[in-house]
Amino acid sequence: MAGERARDRIVPFPSKLAFGVGQAAEGLKNTGFALFVLFYYNQVLGLPGSLAV
């Protein structure tokens, strides 16, 4: 491993893109859940939105 050059350790763009597409799905799920929790805290429990963030 010590003999490897820095160029051999660079991650190619298609791999970065594949990881990014997978992360986008998780990001959408997390954002949807966060919005639902904010709505629940505000409307059901009566907590102000500024405190629910």
Side-chain angles (χ1 to χ4, degrees):
M1 180 136 318
E4 290 184 13
R5 294 181 296 186
R7 181 172 169 80
D8 294 335
R9 298 179 51 114
I10 295 176
V11 179
F13 180 74
S15 295
K16 291 179 185 180
L17 184 64
F19 277 99
V21 168
Q23 185 63 34
E26 184 180 352
L28 286 172
K29 184 231 5 143
N30 288 342
T31 302
F33 181 72
L35 288 174
F36 174 74
V37 168
L38 177 63
F39 174 77
Y40 177 78
Y41 284 164
N42 192 310
Q43 298 296 316
V44 177
L45 300 179
L47 188 68
S50 59
L51 295 177
V53 176

